[in-house]
Amino acid sequence: MRWAGILLVTLAAVFFVTTAIQRGWIGPELQLTAATLGGLAMVGAADLLRTRSRPWSGSLGVGGVVVLGACAVASHTWLDLTSPLGALALVVVASAIGWAAAVRLGQEPVAVATGLSALGWPGLFGVLGDVDLVAAAGWLAAVVVVSTALGALRQWWRMRLGLSWLAAAGFTIFVLVQISDDVAVDHPIGFVVAAIVAISLWVGPATQRWRADASTSRALDARAVAAVPLWAWLTVGAMAELESNLSIGLLGIALALVSMGAAAGLTIMRRLSPVLALSHLLGAAAAVALSLAVLFDGPVLMVALAAHAAVSIVLALRFRDPATAVLAAMTGAVAGLMTAVGIAEAIDRQELAIGDAVAQLAVIAATAVAAWYAHRTSRREVAQILFWPAWLGAMAWLAAVVEVSTDLASVLALTWMAAAVIAVAVARHLPAIRAAGFATGALALAIVAVDAVAVIEAGDYLIASLFQAVTLVGAATGVWLAGRAVGRTAGTIAFVATWATGLVWVASILTPGPQPLAAISVAWAVLAVGAIVAGLMAGLATVRTVGLVTLGVVLVKLLTVDLAGVDVLWRAGLFLVIGAGLMWLAWALPKLADRPANGAATTGKQTPNENEKQPNEIGLPGYPDGDF
């Protein structure tokens, strides 16, 4: 109702004045004087009602300052009574009255209306475009400074944030319009004004005393701070009329470095909160990324985008801000896609430049750091989302480096197995890393198996066999770690996979020699007997079972493959050796099964639980199965 009444009165006044002007009842001077007095009367009425009716006081104050601003611009645009500079001077006076009234009334809406009038009327009706650069830039800078000061004095963050950025955008638009009109804008005052605006935009949030429930407002202010370096880059670059990519890119990097240095210095001096420092770092990173995009189109751009994404993730987690998270995801996706394409091309060409490799590793490292920070801040779902690209990227990067360095797949298997063992060793309470370690180890074993088969088909020794042996040693270490750190099931799976791959590797080593089928059978039989004995003595049911299965495979191989493929003399010797071994095993197993659980030799003295026979799954009484 209140606002409707004020609107009707204002429209009535406008219709009356319009009719009076059209019919010549009042001249231009009287028109401007009457309108100005009306605006002052509204401001005066607002002051009279500031203690009686705060809503009416604010409404009248807003109406009065809007009328005063319009009258100031009308003196030149509509009535042609003053010059453009004179009209801008009247706007300054009207704005001073409005801001003073806002402070006295304690009304933020009045301050906002004053600022909008101070910027809107001169901008919409061409007053700023008709004055020189010094006057226009000086007034826009004054609006920024005043809004920042009032924001700090009265804690009006909305007024400060809105007016400051509106004035900053107006200054940039003014510069661009002047350039389009072939007007020189490289005046020193312009650069000074740009610096004042940038500093005001930067320090404004630091002057704000936030309430405990103002997290949303604070996050909005922090995001606005991040845009300061980009605004400064665009505006200063336009005023300097830079045209070459080199000069534009170097300017962006220089502004970003200045911004980061100032933020770091003020943070160390405890003049700037870590939150605002990180926000400013985000803006500086964005400026660097765009600058490098102008200067380069290669690995440096990937690093810049990755750094920008990492800082954005930190800010998104710190503020729990979805907008910053989306920005981080988009930037990180671009950097990741560029990295993946680069690695794939390097593998395909078998050529990888050192600069490209370092840049790709930097992108992967930035992703890993972001995942670590997410884990530290208890955002485990985010940490897992970031961990998998980092891990897969690292494995792909290793593949590219190995592919360029050597054509031996076994070297890649060795590096992957080393990464898998480390992952399993450090990830007792981190399921994602543990799973990545197991998966990578499985791939490494698969490579060893495939490479060993290639050795068998080639029929000759390869240096790859040495790397395969070291990889199997690493896999054995991973088996031990899996059993201790993860559990029996994981250890069992890892042991079976490693044992099977080891059998294939033994076959690849013996294939080039004389009578390879017989040699493989003997070697596998020896390994099987060793596993059975070790499993019985150590109480490891899985090891014992794997040994028995392997021995069964050897027997099947003897009666099928070896019976036809081995020379008669070698066949006789083979059957004799393996048969004798089986006879010894049949004689020794009962004694091994009767050993005490602690592994001590039998001395004739009965131990407390000696007669308590415990069954196990392979039917050997008297020995309790231990956990793997």
Side-chain angles (χ1 to χ4, degrees):
M1 295 292 290
R2 181 178 67 254
W3 288 105
I6 292 176
L7 177 61
L8 290 176
V9 171
T10 303
L11 290 176
V14 170
F15 292 152
F16 174 76
V17 172
T18 303
T19 303
I21 293 173
Q22 291 176 347
R23 298 184 180 183
W25 294 349
I26 56 177
E29 295 82 0
L30 185 59
Q31 299 168 19
L32 182 63
T33 302
T36 303
L37 291 176
L40 291 173
M42 295 178 71
V43 174
D47 183 67
L48 292 175
L49 295 174
R50 72 178 188 276
T51 56
R52 301 179 184 178
S53 177
R54 185 173 180 81
W56 277 101
S57 175
S59 301
L60 290 171
V62 168
V65 297
V66 171
V67 170
L68 290 177
C71 290
V73 173
S75 66
H76 167 70
T77 304
W78 295 327
L79 303 178
D80 200 19
L81 297 176
T82 60
S83 64
L85 188 60
L88 185 61
L90 291 178
V91 170
V92 173
V93 174
S95 301
I97 294 174
W99 278 320
V103 173
R104 178 174 172 79
L105 299 174
Q107 293 274 7
E108 184 178 8
V110 177
V112 173
T114 301
L116 292 177
S117 296
L119 297 172
W121 293 122
L124 290 175
F125 294 99
V127 173
L128 290 179
D130 293 338
V131 299
D132 59 11
L133 174 68
V134 175
W139 173 235
L140 293 171
V143 173
V144 176
V145 172
V146 171
S147 62
T148 302
L150 289 181
L153 176 66
R154 306 293 297 189
Q155 296 302 296
W156 292 337
W157 78 270
R158 296 176 185 84
M159 183 273 301
R160 171 185 55 76
L161 184 62
L163 291 184
S164 296
W165 278 104
L166 184 61
F171 180 60
T172 303
I173 293 173
F174 172 78
V175 170
L176 295 176
V177 170
Q178 295 292 91
I179 292 175
S180 66
D181 293 338
D182 295 329
V183 178
V185 293
D186 57 346
H187 195 284
I189 295 297
F191 296 101
V192 173
V193 168
I196 293 173
V197 173
I199 293 173
S200 299
L201 293 173
W202 187 17
V203 303
T207 64
Q208 190 72 47
R209 294 190 298 272
W210 297 100
R211 301 188 308 274
D213 59 346
S215 58
T216 302
S217 303
R218 194 168 188 177
L220 179 62
D221 238 0
R223 286 204 300 273
V225 169
V228 174
L230 297 176
W231 173 87
W233 183 30
L234 174 62
T235 305
V236 174
M239 286 191 297
E241 298 186 46
L242 302 178
E243 296 181 357
S244 67
N245 290 343
L246 178 62
S247 59
I248 295 173
L250 292 178
L251 173 63
I253 293 175
L255 290 174
L257 292 176
V258 170
S259 176
M260 288 188 289
L266 290 175
T267 302
I268 294 174
M269 297 169 58
R270 296 185 178 180
R271 298 290 184 181
L272 193 65
S273 69
V275 173
L276 290 175
L278 285 175
S279 299
H280 213 69
L281 183 61
L282 171 63
V288 170
L290 293 176
S291 300
L292 294 177
V294 173
L295 291 172
F296 309 101
D297 58 354
V300 179
L301 177 58
M302 286 193 306
V303 176
L305 291 175
H308 180 266
V311 176
S312 302
I313 290 171
V314 172
L315 289 176
L317 295 176
R318 175 65 180 82
F319 289 115
R320 297 182 180 274
D321 179 32
T324 308
V326 171
L327 173 64
M330 294 174 60
T331 310
V334 173
L337 181 61
M338 294 176 64
T339 303
V341 171
I343 292 175
E345 291 179 349
I347 295 176
D348 182 60
R349 298 194 312 266
Q350 294 188 355
E351 180 181 355
L352 180 64
I354 296 179
D356 292 340
V358 173
Q360 292 162 3
L361 186 60
V363 173
I364 296 168
T367 309
V369 169
W372 170 83
Y373 181 82
H375 176 74
R376 287 292 301 271
T377 54
S378 299
R379 299 297 297 276
R380 294 188 177 180
E381 67 284 358
V382 178
Q384 291 187 7
I385 292 174
L386 294 172
F387 165 75
W388 283 107
W391 181 267
L392 295 176
M395 296 304 103
W397 183 83
L398 287 174
V401 173
V402 171
E403 183 71 18
V404 172
S405 303
T406 177
D407 58 353
L408 295 177
S410 55
V411 178
L412 175 61
L414 177 60
T415 57
W416 279 5
M417 183 58 71
V421 171
I422 294 173
V424 174
V426 303
R428 177 175 297 184
H429 303 297
L430 299 173
I433 299 180
R434 192 167 63 236
F438 282 130
T440 305
L443 289 176
L445 288 177
I447 292 176
V448 170
V450 172
D451 212 31
V453 171
V455 172
I456 295 174
E457 293 176 350
D460 194 5
Y461 289 105
L462 291 176
I463 193 174
S465 299
L466 298 177
F467 293 102
Q468 294 167 7
V470 178
T471 303
L472 289 172
V473 172
T477 305
V479 170
W480 178 76
L481 290 171
R484 290 179 60 87
V486 182
R488 182 172 56 185
T489 301
T492 300
I493 295 173
F495 173 74
V496 172
T498 303
W499 181 269
T501 308
L503 293 179
V504 177
W505 177 76
V506 170
S508 71
I509 291 297
L510 299 176
T511 295
Q515 296 297 320
L517 293 178
I520 292 172
S521 296
V522 172
W524 283 6
V526 171
L527 291 174
V529 171
I532 294 171
V533 173
L536 286 172
M537 296 182 66
L540 299 175
T542 300
V543 176
R544 186 174 69 239
T545 304
V546 167
L548 287 171
V549 172
T550 303
L551 191 58
V553 172
V554 172
L555 293 176
V556 172
K557 181 176 180 293
L558 283 173
L559 299 175
T560 55
V561 179
D562 295 348
L563 193 61
V566 179
D567 185 78
V568 176
L569 293 178
W570 282 94
R571 187 189 313 161
L574 175 63
F575 282 25
L576 177 63
V577 171
I578 295 181
L582 291 175
M583 292 171 61
W584 174 86
L585 185 61
W587 173 79
L589 280 180
K591 295 183 177 181
L592 294 173
D594 289 337
R595 291 175 62 89
N598 59 6
T602 305
T603 60
K605 295 182 180 180
Q606 184 174 339
T607 56
N609 296 323
E610 186 176 5
N611 294 326
E612 295 181 8
K613 306 301 181 181
Q614 300 186 23
N616 52 51
E617 77 272 13
I618 61 173
L620 295 176
Y623 193 85
D625 291 334
D627 287 341
F628 184 79

